[in-house]
Amino acid sequence: MDINYELYKVFYYVATTLSFSEASKKLFISQSAVSQSVKALEKKLDQPLFIRSTKRVQLTPEGEILLRHVEPAMNLIKRGEAQIADSIAGGGQIRIGASDTICRYFLVPYLKRFHREFPNVHIKVTNQTSIRCVDLLENGQVDLIFTNYPNSYLSNMYTIKKIKRFHDVFVANDSFSSLRSRNLSLAQLLEHPILMLDKKSTTSEFLHSLFQQHQLDLVPEVELSSNDLLLDLAKIGLGIAFVPDYCINESSDDLFIVGTKNTLPEREIVAAYNTHIPIPKATMEFLNYFKEIS
């Protein structure tokens, strides 16, 4: 099927903005031209792509399917254009995906070093959960992600470089002082309010799986999207927070680690990228900062 690239480009902007007028502004063409292009694409595909009403525009199921394929292609084209521009300008760009926790507690020193050594390279960091970062990589929105591992969303198409080991820990304040110097079973932990990350995280998957392996049903008291907030709530005694050990620092002096009878499995932070897509030179320079652990 021979379809002009410009028709897909117009479709992409309408589909991502859900607005013909916004798409026309981004494309610097008239709204009428946008509408005609969409109609032409629908005619060639013999499928309606949008449901139009006076108040809003939404994708049809066929439109959603097409967007899932067009969006990665558009991002690849944009990346190619950016790399060519970077080579001309003598600078470059690194596009990284990482969770707030990994970025704050692990990546910042490396980003500082890279910026000092390569001041002309633009650094773009997109913060998402480790699971959502895989989507960013798959769609071509970033070149490199840093994620907790295991991560069930990482497939064999990605190269994984293990760069840091860590353990997760349960922490509490003196409201739970009776637990100091004790090692609790997982069942005993469930007698207390558990604070943890929400279900859209690898950490939540990991902890729920751990309890299920012991035939225990984990029902947390609080689920949040930030480890920093979990620590804040633990500091005021709302419960026992489950966080990576690398989040614990000097500001956590009013918390103590709750011992467990069960040794918690070790996890890693990994860098992952798509082996089937060329990695920009600047990104490889940044990746080389990290030694792979065996």
Side-chain angles (χ1 to χ4, degrees):
M1 189 178 295
D2 184 19
I3 298 179
N4 191 310
Y5 159 74
E6 289 299 322
L7 298 183
Y8 285 122
K9 184 177 180 181
V10 172
F11 164 78
Y12 168 77
Y13 279 98
V14 177
T16 53
T17 62
L18 293 179
S19 168
F20 282 75
S21 60
E22 285 298 315
S24 69
K25 292 175 184 177
K26 290 179 178 292
L27 292 165
F28 300 100
I29 60 177
S30 69
Q31 189 169 332
S32 175
V34 171
S35 181
Q36 291 173 14
S37 295
V38 169
K39 287 179 180 178
L41 182 59
E42 289 177 323
K43 184 177 180 180
K44 285 180 176 291
L45 294 173
D46 194 26
Q47 294 288 345
L49 300 173
F50 296 98
I51 301 171
R52 303 160 176 83
S53 68
T54 55
K55 292 186 177 180
R56 66 173 185 165
V57 175
Q58 63 184 104
L59 286 161
T60 64
E62 294 79 11
E64 291 176 353
I65 292 171
L66 185 60
L67 179 60
R68 287 201 295 269
H69 293 276
V70 169
E71 186 173 29
M74 289 296 299
N75 286 325
L76 279 174
I77 292 170
K78 289 178 183 178
R79 179 160 62 180
E81 292 172 344
Q83 288 185 28
I84 291 173
D86 291 339
S87 65
I88 295 172
Q93 177 180 246
I94 60 173
R95 303 183 307 159
I96 299 168
S99 70
D100 291 341
T101 302
I102 290 176
C103 191
R104 177 178 181 183
Y105 293 100
F106 178 68
L107 282 183
V108 167
Y110 296 98
L111 293 170
K112 179 180 179 181
R113 173 186 168 187
F114 185 85
H115 181 61
R116 184 177 64 247
E117 296 180 0
F118 302 95
N120 294 325
V121 176
H122 176 66
I123 301 173
K124 180 181 179 181
V125 180
T126 302
N127 289 132
Q128 292 287 353
T129 65
S130 288
I131 290 174
R132 175 62 182 139
C133 280
V134 179
D135 293 334
L136 296 176
L137 188 60
E138 184 175 336
N139 290 331
Q141 294 173 261
V142 297
D143 303 308
L144 178 67
I145 63 172
F146 293 86
T147 167
N148 292 327
Y149 190 82
N151 184 333
S152 61
Y153 286 73
L154 282 171
S155 66
N156 293 332
M157 68 181 291
Y158 302 114
T159 294
I160 295 172
K161 184 176 184 180
K162 296 182 179 181
I163 54 179
K164 178 180 175 62
R165 296 187 184 91
F166 69 92
H167 279 94
D168 298 279
V169 291
F170 292 94
V171 294
N173 79 345
D174 280 337
S175 300
F176 299 86
S177 59
S178 62
L179 304 182
R180 284 184 181 271
S181 303
R182 290 180 57 191
N183 288 326
L184 276 64
S185 68
L186 295 181
Q188 289 172 321
L189 277 168
L190 291 181
E191 298 172 5
H192 306 279
I194 302 297
L195 319 177
M196 61 180 290
L197 290 180
D198 61 35
K199 293 179 181 179
K200 297 179 181 178
S201 68
T202 54
T203 299
S204 176
E205 285 187 347
F206 170 76
L207 189 57
H208 277 285
S209 175
L210 183 64
F211 276 81
Q212 287 169 3
Q213 289 170 23
H214 292 80
Q215 291 77 50
L216 296 171
D217 186 21
L218 171 61
V219 181
E221 183 78 10
V222 173
E223 291 180 295
L224 296 172
S225 60
S226 165
N227 279 308
D228 288 334
L229 286 175
L230 292 177
L231 289 171
D232 288 339
L233 295 187
K235 288 176 184 178
I236 61 174
L238 259 63
I240 300 173
F242 183 74
V243 296
D245 57 7
Y246 60 82
C247 294
I248 308 300
N249 52 32
E250 293 78 10
S251 65
S252 307
D253 288 345
D254 47 352
L255 296 173
F256 67 93
I257 294 176
V258 178
T260 58
K261 292 180 180 178
N262 307 82
T263 301
L264 301 187
E266 187 177 72
R267 292 200 289 164
E268 295 99 10
I269 294 176
V270 302
Y273 56 95
N274 193 332
T275 53
H276 304 294
I277 298 175
I279 304 299
K281 182 179 178 181
T283 302
M284 290 305 300
E285 290 286 351
F286 185 70
L287 184 59
N288 288 336
Y289 284 173
F290 304 93
K291 294 181 179 180
E292 185 161 15
I293 57 176
S294 56

